[in-house]
Amino acid sequence: MVLWYEKPAREWVEALPIGNGRLGAMVFGGVQQERLQLNEDTLWAGGPYDPNHQGAVEALPQIRQLVLNGEYREADRLIGERMMATPIRQMPYQTVGNLNFEFTAIGETADYHRELNLDTATIRVGYKIDDVVYVREVFVSPVDQVIVMRLSADQPGKISFTAKYSTPQTAAVSVQNGDTLLLDGVNGSSEGIEGVLKFQALARIVLQGGEISAEEDSLTVSGADSAMLLIAAATSYVRYDDVSGDPKAKNQATINKALAKDYGALLEDHVREHQRLFHRVEIDLGRTKAINLPTDERIRRSEELDDPALTALYFQYGRYLLICSSRPGTQPANLQGIWNESIKPPWGSKYTININTEMNYWPAEPANLAECAEPLINMVKEIGITGRRTAKIHYGVDQGWTAHHNTDIWRATAPIDGPAWGMWPTGGAWLCMHLWEHYEYNGDLEYLADVYPTLKGSAEFFLATLVEEPKHGWLVTCPSISPENRHPHGVSVCAGPTMDNQILRDLFTYTIEASKLLNADEDLRRQLSDACEKLPPNQIGKEGQLQEWLEDWDMAAPEIHHRHVSHLYGLFPSDQIHVRDTPELAAAVRKSLEIRGDDATGWGIGWRLNLWAWLHDGEHAHKILKMLLRPSRTYPNMFDAHPPFQIDGNFGGVSGIAAMFMQSRCKIENGGMVAEIDLLPALPSAFPNGSIRGFKAKGGYDLDIDWKDGKLITAKLHSNLGNPCQVYYGDMTTKIALGAGETLVLNGGLEK
Ligand code: FUC
């Protein structure tokens, strides 16, 4: 599977991304010039800091009273004054800079071709000048932790270029040993938080033939047969509270190790490790004629072309992006994964946890990349620590933790930006769902015991802070917001928005289940189940819609087409609303979606795609998918356009495409998991024939499905954990009971 082009990239969103989870590069593929825009995932502005607003808790009783009295504007004002973080913004993720190349071969260029091969995670640029064929290959090895670039030609002595860094950072360039370019710098300060991270990029040139000469800030290669560059980068970041690392020593060790291998060995080890993850899943939606068009052309014409293979490519590209931006031991994928050319990117390229970060990880488990979720799990455990201070200082709570709508590499958890965005105490609780979900797929009790304190801490925070609303006596968050949507009072601040009630119902339910499975905290369990009973139910409003707030405000809200669909969380990513179990509520979700409309920003479309698939409406889901693939939402390099670029839409797209072919749920009954799998629940007529291989379902199942003329041919289920499973296809259902390690093939009538 390849993305390919007939021209070099002119803009950043035409360049192609490579990465190993930690190190990233955007490759432009120019003939006279090449630009490798470099990223390292710990290079963020600032340093360890405490953003909690001392004294915030003193204003809390009055704010709560104002909200419960319906004096929302005054509450909003007071929150802005007394509860927001200091500084009010978090630290941005920043670029390292660029390694730029000037090539000296001049002449007419022919046969230009540029591609990203998803199977090998390698970029290849090829062209001809005066009968000499030039080839450039670039990859980032997860094994050797270096970016490797090789420049070669089919005739000897033809490789000549000058290499030089450029960067918007405060950094110094130097040359070492006549063959190594160094960029040594310190990260930026932001919002009054001083930059204290040291960083270094190191590029070592290894030649076959020819020679290198060094100037003060550049290296020039002349007449080489081929050249290989090994590029390392590191910062002094160790953890959110420790910046004592030594990037120079790290880079030196990395380069020395990589130098012991030749290009072939570096490439082979890289490809093997990439394919270990990438090749687990296959998707075939048929070959289309459009496959002969360059990728940018296919995207440009995606609305008119019948091109199901583009969906398959988009799906695998999304898996590729997750593998390249989130591997065990790295930082989680941020708003731009790891690819960012700026020191002040949009929204700081941070972790927005009121949808964006969660969406990044929706595909991880079903698309068989569970280990790519490890950085997220680790981050949640860390904000489970820093969030304790926020719980104490902002809410006066001694137990538990909270995080609001954003975090950064320093794991800041206080409310930021302003009440309309930041006054949302439920971000950490949503992330906890990913901790539980990981267990639903792997059934690993040791893992569950490891994350349980984080789940419990989140639940404890809400037990201590929920308030009784006067009308029904329901337990609600107060103050909170329904992410970023204003209600008819012109502000977002409210009590008990539907999304919070849904998130807490989930949080309490799986914390109870986890405590049972781990035989822990019987008392807490009772408290949680009492509190769960008192959460507001999902309510249907006068238009038949699912109410976004406690009051039936939806139709009077200033932006009824708002991009967020927070209250529909209950249908997806949660499944507390489901077409089979709660058809009335599912119909209300549908009504809400119709009112909201199909169009939105990139991730907004991504969420709608998943929702329509979970409503089992394949045709509508496909309509939304087409909207995601059109050029206003998908850049030539297939990055999702928010705009500007935000990677969440790519990942939401993968998850939504997966949900067209397969959906799974899981319940705990008598200490064991019972799975539920839907086969082809939202198959659109546009994908009449196809197959998927290696998908994962909750309860520990591997799944292969083949279909033809819109009908299921076979489904192969392999059970890893031996849990029972109810399988659904159309109106049919069958119960299967496989032992761990057993496989079963069902046909279209669900007979074995
Ligand atoms: C949320 C969204 C915006 C954007 C930002 C990063 O605030 O409402 O659309 O995606 O996150």
Side-chain angles (χ1 to χ4, degrees):
M1 283 212 164
V2 293
L3 279 66
W4 65 275
Y5 306 85
E6 289 170 330
K7 286 191 206 74
R10 288 155 307 171
E11 291 176 46
W12 192 84
V13 289
E14 294 175 358
L16 294 169
I18 46 174
N20 67 0
R22 182 180 71 84
L23 274 181
M26 294 292 285
V27 182
F28 284 66
V31 173
Q32 297 309 318
Q33 280 120 13
E34 173 62 282
R35 173 182 170 203
L36 259 53
Q37 186 265 308
L38 306 173
N39 286 108
E40 204 277 355
D41 73 349
T42 61
L43 185 52
W44 292 59
Y49 70 110
D50 178 4
N52 295 298
H53 189 143
Q54 287 297 341
V57 67
E58 289 155 25
L60 190 60
Q62 191 191 347
I63 290 166
R64 281 186 172 147
Q65 204 48 56
L66 286 168
V67 173
L68 296 178
N69 291 348
E71 294 174 61
Y72 303 106
R73 281 175 180 272
E74 181 54 14
D76 178 90
R77 195 195 58 76
L78 204 56
I79 291 166
E81 206 176 280
R82 304 286 301 275
M83 292 235 353
M84 301 315 291
T86 49
I88 198 158
R89 295 192 202 291
Q90 292 171 355
M91 298 299 109
Y93 175 55
Q94 302 192 314
T95 182
V96 172
N98 309 288
L99 187 56
N100 306 298
F101 299 79
E102 285 282 341
F103 297 97
T104 44
I106 336 185
E108 188 112 338
T109 308
D111 302 341
Y112 181 90
H113 182 88
R114 172 169 73 100
E115 71 173 39
L116 167 62
N117 185 324
L118 302 182
D119 290 301
T120 58
T122 304
I123 288 170
R124 190 171 194 280
V125 180
Y127 51 89
K128 211 156 133 183
I129 298 178
D130 292 341
D131 283 334
V132 183
V133 177
Y134 293 88
V135 175
R136 198 179 303 160
E137 292 146 305
V138 202
F139 61 88
V140 190
S141 172
V143 179
D144 292 296
Q145 293 296 319
V146 281
I147 302 171
V148 182
M149 173 154 103
R150 190 172 69 159
L151 303 154
S152 58
D154 68 347
Q155 292 176 29
K158 292 292 181 191
I159 301 299
S160 301
F161 63 89
T162 297
K164 202 173 179 166
Y165 285 114
S166 62
T167 182
Q169 298 278 7
T170 308
V173 177
S174 58
V175 172
Q176 194 183 50
N177 305 332
D179 60 6
T180 303
L181 268 179
L182 299 176
L183 181 75
D184 284 284
V186 178
N187 68 334
S189 302
S190 183
E191 305 290 327
I193 305 296
E194 200 194 329
V196 295
L197 274 181
K198 285 174 281 178
F199 74 87
Q200 187 195 59
L202 181 163
R204 166 82 183 257
I205 302 182
V206 183
L207 290 189
Q208 270 185 332
E211 54 192 48
I212 314 183
S213 60
E215 287 97 80
E216 209 180 315
D217 62 351
S218 65
L219 288 173
T220 297
V221 167
S222 10
D225 301 335
S226 74
M228 174 171 80
L229 279 99
L230 298 177
I231 304 156
T235 78
S236 56
Y237 182 89
V238 180
R239 212 176 83 133
Y240 62 87
D241 55 356
D242 180 355
V243 291
S244 65
D246 181 349
K248 293 183 193 180
K250 232 168 129 184
N251 283 343
Q252 205 53 60
T254 305
I255 289 292
N256 289 345
K257 230 178 110 212
L259 279 169
K261 294 184 185 175
D262 63 10
Y263 178 79
L266 288 165
L267 178 64
E268 197 183 307
D269 291 348
H270 157 72
V271 171
R272 192 185 313 111
E273 172 54 22
H274 173 69
Q275 293 186 344
R276 186 176 68 81
L277 302 180
F278 188 71
H279 277 176
R280 286 176 187 166
V281 165
E282 288 168 31
I283 178 166
D284 180 0
L285 300 178
R287 260 186 88 83
T288 33
K289 268 210 231 111
I291 226 161
N292 300 318
L293 296 172
T295 306
D296 45 351
E297 187 66 11
R298 275 170 96 180
I299 294 163
R300 208 172 58 73
R301 294 173 52 192
S302 66
E303 275 164 297
E304 85 213 40
L305 290 175
D306 173 28
D307 189 6
L310 183 65
T311 295
L313 184 65
Y314 193 87
F315 180 86
Q316 290 291 36
Y317 181 58
R319 290 185 66 247
Y320 166 87
L321 291 175
L322 192 59
I323 294 170
C324 295
S325 61
S326 186
R327 273 177 171 271
T330 73
Q331 293 301 312
N334 63 48
L335 286 173
Q336 299 190 182
I338 46 171
W339 300 278
N340 158 38
E341 66 172 334
S342 169
I343 51 171
K344 235 180 157 217
W347 290 283
S349 193
K350 305 190 295 288
Y351 300 105
T352 307
I353 59 175
N354 67 14
I355 173 62
N356 316 82
T357 304
E358 287 87 354
M359 184 175 282
N360 282 1
Y361 287 90
W362 287 352
E365 306 281 348
N368 207 339
L369 296 172
E371 53 273 79
C372 295
E374 193 253 28
L376 179 76
I377 292 165
N378 196 44
M379 181 173 84
V380 183
K381 283 159 68 179
E382 291 183 346
I383 59 172
I385 301 168
T386 55
R388 288 188 174 265
R389 245 180 104 68
T390 304
K392 175 82 185 154
I393 293 172
H394 285 251
Y395 299 89
V397 164
D398 285 320
Q399 279 177 326
W401 65 278
T402 186
H404 293 77
H405 94 299
N406 249 274
T407 190
D408 59 14
I409 200 165
W410 312 110
R411 308 304 186 232
T413 49
I416 62 158
D417 292 349
W421 303 274
M423 193 57 261
W424 190 58
T426 328
W430 187 354
L431 284 172
C432 281
M433 177 192 218
H434 290 256
L435 304 186
W436 174 250
E437 191 190 70
H438 198 60
Y439 171 75
E440 290 184 307
Y441 282 88
N442 71 17
D444 179 351
L445 281 173
E446 219 174 287
Y447 157 78
L448 189 63
D450 180 50
V451 297
Y452 176 70
T454 310
L455 291 180
K456 175 178 160 184
S458 181
E460 283 177 330
F461 170 80
F462 289 100
L463 279 183
T465 56
L466 291 180
V467 302
E468 222 171 80
E469 55 81 46
K471 205 158 153 192
H472 307 86
W474 291 329
L475 282 182
V476 294
T477 50
C478 178
S480 188
I481 60 169
S482 184
E484 305 181 12
N485 202 8
R486 281 171 299 147
H487 52 70
H489 295 264
V491 293
S492 299
V493 172
C494 66
T498 300
M499 180 188 225
D500 284 8
N501 311 326
Q502 295 172 342
I503 289 178
L504 295 185
R505 195 169 297 119
D506 279 349
L507 175 70
F508 292 171
T509 305
Y510 51 64
T511 304
I512 291 169
E513 296 301 352
S515 83
K516 282 197 221 154
L517 289 163
L518 298 167
N519 233 329
D521 300 318
E522 231 175 287
D523 269 1
L524 177 74
R525 205 182 300 159
R526 248 187 314 266
Q527 291 174 47
L528 289 174
S529 79
D530 288 350
C532 214
E533 300 275 297
K534 296 193 191 128
L535 292 171
N538 286 304
Q539 302 181 81
I540 299 177
K542 50 185 177 296
E543 293 294 317
Q545 90 286 7
L546 190 74
Q547 273 180 217
E548 181 159 359
W549 295 276
L550 288 178
E551 307 288 336
D552 192 354
W553 281 338
D554 298 41
M555 299 312 289
E559 289 180 75
I560 57 168
H561 304 304
H562 201 266
R563 62 195 178 286
H564 284 260
V565 282
S566 304
H567 51 316
L568 310 188
Y569 161 96
L571 181 86
F572 187 84
S574 175
D575 65 353
Q576 56 186 264
I577 299 175
H578 191 271
V579 281
R580 271 193 298 274
D581 309 349
T582 58
E584 294 84 12
L585 289 172
V589 168
R590 172 183 274 268
K591 188 73 204 173
S592 290
L593 271 176
E594 284 165 3
I595 294 168
R596 269 307 211 261
D598 292 335
D599 210 357
T601 55
W603 63 258
I605 294 180
W607 199 347
R608 284 160 175 76
L609 166 62
N610 282 272
L611 287 163
W612 282 107
W614 277 83
L615 285 173
H616 293 186
D617 188 332
E619 295 313 317
H620 206 122
H622 184 255
K623 179 185 169 216
I624 307 260
L625 175 62
K626 288 280 253 193
M627 293 170 70
L628 188 63
L629 294 173
R630 75 202 155 153
S632 57
R633 287 289 170 259
T634 295
Y635 288 116
N637 68 358
M638 279 195 138
F639 271 171
D640 168 62
H642 180 279
F645 163 51
Q646 233 172 258
I647 207 162
D648 35 31
N650 287 99
F651 293 136
V654 176
S655 150
I657 293 164
M660 291 172 141
F661 308 125
M662 184 241 12
Q663 294 171 10
S664 73
R665 309 165 74 195
C666 178
K667 289 196 194 77
I668 307 289
E669 277 174 21
N670 309 320
M673 287 191 223
V674 180
E676 206 177 290
I677 298 178
D678 276 85
L679 306 172
L680 305 177
L683 186 69
S685 55
F687 302 153
N689 304 310
S691 65
I692 56 169
R693 300 264 176 277
F695 280 48
K696 286 273 181 192
K698 290 182 180 179
Y701 281 88
D702 300 340
L703 198 61
D704 298 348
I705 304 178
D706 287 88
W707 68 94
K708 201 167 174 263
D709 301 326
K711 301 244 158 25
L712 177 73
I713 301 297
T714 55
K716 184 167 142 199
L717 293 111
H718 176 81
S719 170
N720 295 298
L721 302 175
N723 292 314
C725 177
Q726 192 73 37
V727 182
Y728 292 87
Y729 172 58
D731 312 335
M732 288 177 280
T733 183
T734 186
K735 192 170 179 109
I736 63 169
L738 295 176
E742 286 179 0
T743 303
L744 178 74
V745 179
L746 295 173
N747 66 27
L750 291 194
E751 286 116 11
K752 287 146 214 174

